[in-house]
Amino acid sequence: MLKVTIDGSIYDASNSERLIEVINRVGAKVPQVCFHPQLGPIQTCDTCMVETNGKLVRACATRVAADMEVFTKSARADAAQRLAFDRILGNHLLYCTVCDNNNGNCTVHNTTRQLAVEHQQIPYKPKPYPVDNTNPFYRYDPDQCILCGRCVEACQNLQVNETLSINWEDPHPRVQWDGGSTIGESSCVSCGHCVSVCPCNALMEKSMIGYAGYFTAVPKPVLNGMIDVVKAIEPEVGYRAIMKISEDEEAMREHRIRRTKTVCTYCGVGCSFDVWTKDRHILKVEPLEGPTNGVSTCVKGKFGWDFVNSPDRLTTPLIRENGKFRAASWDEALDLVARKFAEIKAQYGPDALAFVSSSKCTNEESYLMQKLSRAVIGTNNMDNCSRYCQAPATMGLFRTVGYGADSGSIHDIERAGLVLIIGSNTAESHPVLATRVKRAHKLRGQKLIVSDLRENEMARRADLFLHPKPGTDVVWLCAAARYILDEGLADTVFMNQWVNGLEEYQKSLAPFTLDFAARTTGLSEETIKKVAHMVAEANGVCVLWAMGVTQHSMGSDASTAISNLLLITGNYMKTGSGAYPLRGHNNVQGASDHGAMPNFLPGYQSVDDPEVRARFEAGWGVPLPKNKGLDNHEMIEAIYKGQLKAMYVFGEEMSLVDSNANYVGEGLCQLEFLVMQDIFFTATCRFADVVLPASPSLEKEGTFTSTERRIQRLYEVFEPLEGSRADWKIIRDIANRLGANWNYDHPSDIYREIAALTPMFAGVTYERLEGFRSLQWPVAADGSDQPLLYTKKFAFPDGKARLFPLHPVEPTDQPNAEFDLHLNNGRLLEHFHEGNMTYRVPGIRGKTPDTFVEVSPELAEERGIQSGTWVQLMSRYGQVRVRALVTDRVRGKELYMPMNSVESPVNRLTSSHTDTVTHTPAYKEASVQLLVLPEALGENPLPRTNSRWGHPTPQRGVEVERKWKRADYTVPGGNGLVQIRRN
Ligand code: SF4
Ligand code: SF4
Ligand code: SF4
Ligand code: FES
């Protein structure tokens, strides 16, 4: 700690602090237009000038030093601050009263007020560029741009999309996209970082424009007239009077604009933000202080919410009658569901019913669904879509370290010396998490290895990109592990203290020689050795993996191999290390955590453990079934066997996202009674007998658990659309019709019950999760949580981890002469899963209108395929017709198809083979034949406005040194200033 004197008062400071942080902490008032705590010093605005040791310094770029004496309001500092801000006003017209950004958080407005600016000295000068409206979600107005560079810094070094720059050498600098493209045709991925950090109205969400203010919807000519009036009277009345009017208008807005915190409904990263609304219109999503994301979002979280107000929303229950659906009242539909469930249970027994919970819905809703299944119906036939993706990762971790979850936080991933990504298109599937890796790699020299079939964005950025043959991850992982052990590179101290089972494990590695691995995987021995050395020698390794690993017939083994590798190299129990299976859906972690599984009650408490059952039986007041129930995969088989008669599925598009979709669809047809509950009439609803209209996340309260075990609250942004209901209320009402007598009035009532019955969540309360507060499980009764999962021990009775022996396994459904191409599949950045929500966002649909199949340039040449060629893909299980996209992201005879399609879902092609341990479908093991269709060449499936066509312009950040070199730049306050380079 140091002592720093600021304006005559002495304060404590730590030597890692920036002067601006100390100034802000102690409440001294210094303007700071370009500084943003999450971006660090940018040094473009010069408004934070303060005087220390007789010199002017930028407070944002200066580290505190012992006995520093700082004057924030000395004559020189004050003059420099004012001159710097005057220059800013030369770039920005103050028309606050008619500006949609006049909401109390405009930095330019607030600094004008803070400095009590009456008149500006440097006249405002527009820039010779038009407004750029070419992005569907936001626009750039150069005339309002103060060239602070926050947007550039965010795009270059936080999002690391590297689209933005400022042409400092130009007579009229401006923000540029790809060095001079329109936004619409640039590499911009519409993540919104730049818009979220812009301190004024130069970058604005289009959904704000004309909606936020009282006078901002007026036609442009009238608006311009009003602005002219303001300009004309300013010299006479001064800004203070003008600002007073705008502040009154701003105060009026407070009454009609609501800001409600929510958690993103898309992927498992768990971004949280405020949603600004006016009635049912979403003005904007404002990420600010989410514990995971701060100001970060991706396109879906920032702009992907139009589906909530889509006219396609279901608003009345539907009942099938004579093969057709008819509208029904809620009472009629719920009575029918309860009656049929009771009848089927009475006739065939409880195990003739099965329940599928939604990984998109809340923890409380999954809890109620499994309680309905177990306590009301009496069956453990209960699952969620983690069966489709994450169950093998969970199994790999159960086997080795005890908990089936990320072993640390996203902060740990940022801090790792090496990140190893396997079978995960992280930049598209977990975009905000990927930004943290890209940032650490770019700015901090973090090493990155990517193993994937496709050369995705992370692969292109990697220090080492591995392209093993499909389905061979176990082999190269085990070969690397064997090499590490053989060469004495393992962390023996860690293993001696914390790891059991080395001998057996090492014996199992015997077949995994480098030679065998090279022949099997197609990777060279040198490459595998290099990976082994990088892992063994790194200062902390985090392994990130996803469906490229898990959706294989040996998905559990590959996940186990990852955890084994981490154990032998001592990469658990410390920050910057560990295993990170990246959870796909926003609440797939939470759905499993809260008991939506056939073998576990909430908190992974086994259904066959008498002590556990006794506790729940006492809590719920009913006897509970003892045997493991059916998982999703077994449910379909049980329908075909005539054992399963009824299903209740909510928020789950089973008929498209389960593998071998034709088979699943035909199975669902055979059910005696199917209840579907969703926000849209989905493809799976076609098979239903009753469809119940539910509410999306913005219309309810509850909690989600993200990939890093982070439990967060969401609040009700809108009331449920008339006719729809929150899922927890629907489940409750069905249970009560079956005699359950549940009295939950609010999701917090449900969580109190969960916490009482589940040691892992003992200390979780809604109060502890208020606002943006969060908890990472396990949470002790006193509320203390565990960002790093293993600190004192592993989750086994003796506290030690277990190395798990493995054996080579061949993938299923391999290519042969007839089905000669390997088909891979996965997500696209813009869409979520099949696209039921994201296709209802016009801006997203415009940029990615349809699915396609990626074809390598080699294969395209061999078969005469161009981008836009219609092809038919045929597998042993079905066929689809799609357009080709020729790209070097894929190689040779490997194809890739994004999963976002209702019309041509990739799962018509995938098989019913599964991971042998967890029954997760082997989606990534599919072979197809490709037929070029004799149809006219279609449009390129990726429109020119898709970001993948862009040409990013990577640079170190805003590169303010180039501004300082301009002939017309002088340091405000004179020569005393020491230019401090970025750090
Ligand atoms: S990628 Fe686009 S939206 Fe995201 S920060 Fe860069 S310019 Fe802005
Ligand atoms: S557009 Fe960028 S440079 Fe211009 S004011 Fe906004 S954040 Fe600053
Ligand atoms: S990264 Fe995931 S959680 Fe974050 S905004 Fe995007 S979809 Fe939502
Ligand atoms: S806040 Fe802009 S230069 Fe310091």
Side-chain angles (χ1 to χ4, degrees), residues 389-412:
C389 56
Q390 287 295 337
T394 304
M395 180 55 65
L397 297 176
F398 276 160
R399 283 170 168 178
T400 51
V401 284
Y403 280 126
D406 286 9
S407 37
S409 306
I410 293 170
H411 294 304
D412 288 294

Side-chain angles (χ1 to χ4, degrees), residues 427-446:
E428 301 205 45
S429 300
H430 298 87
V432 166
L433 189 149
T435 66
R436 300 327 193 228
V437 178
K438 293 194 281 181
R439 180 175 165 88
H441 186 251
K442 179 174 180 178
L443 301 185
R444 213 172 49 69
Q446 182 180 71

Side-chain angles (χ1 to χ4, degrees), residues 20 31-35 42-48 58-61:
I20 197 96
Q32 44 198 284
V33 174
C34 72
F35 181 72
I42 301 173
Q43 304 189 77
T44 49
C45 78
D46 294 337
T47 58
C48 66
R58 295 186 184 92
C60 64

Side-chain angles (χ1 to χ4, degrees), residues 354-360 382-394 423 546-553 555-556 559 582-585 588-589 591-592 596-598 630-637 639 644 647-661 663-665 668 674 676 684 825-827 832-834 899 906-907 910-915 917-925:
F355 298 79
V356 175
S357 191
S358 173
S359 300
K360 302 220 74 55
M382 172 77 242
D383 210 356
N384 74 92
C385 79
S386 69
R387 186 72 42 205
Y388 298 149
C389 56
Q390 287 295 337
T394 304
M547 295 185 277
V549 170
T550 58
Q551 292 179 338
H552 278 285
S553 49
S556 291
S559 302
L582 303 180
R583 307 302 188 177
H585 283 69
V588 67
Q589 181 71 49
S592 299
M597 295 183 87
L630 301 173
D631 60 42
N632 288 356
H633 177 75
E634 292 167 329
M635 287 176 197
I636 301 299
E637 295 305 325
I639 299 172
L644 194 62
M647 283 179 77
Y648 178 10
V649 178
F650 81 108
E652 187 59 50
E653 181 63 298
M654 252 186 118
S655 74
L656 294 183
V657 303
D658 199 350
S659 195
N660 200 353
Y663 181 75
V664 172
L668 293 175
L674 172 62
M676 287 296 301
T684 314
N825 65 78
R827 295 215 173 108
F832 195 79
H833 246 61
E834 74 293 319
M899 59 171 80
V906 67
N907 288 320
T910 50
S911 74
S912 293
H913 295 297
T914 65
D915 172 47
V917 189
T918 61
H919 290 162
T920 290
Y923 293 92
K924 303 294 193 275
E925 294 175 7

Side-chain angles (χ1 to χ4, degrees), residues 135 138 151 154-156 159 161-164 177 183 186-195 203 303:
N135 180 287
Y138 71 94
C151 56
C155 185
Q156 288 284 345
Q159 155 69 11
N161 206 58
E162 301 172 321
T163 300
L164 295 187
W177 277 252
I183 307 175
S186 74
S187 59
C188 169
V189 292
S190 304
C191 65
H193 280 78
C194 55
V195 188
L203 282 166
F303 297 116

Side-chain angles (χ1 to χ4, degrees), residues 140 144-151 166 175 197-200 202-203:
Y140 172 59
Q144 291 297 92
C145 174
I146 59 171
L147 299 170
C148 69
R150 275 192 192 184
C151 56
I166 292 178
V175 176
V197 299
C198 181
C200 62
L203 282 166

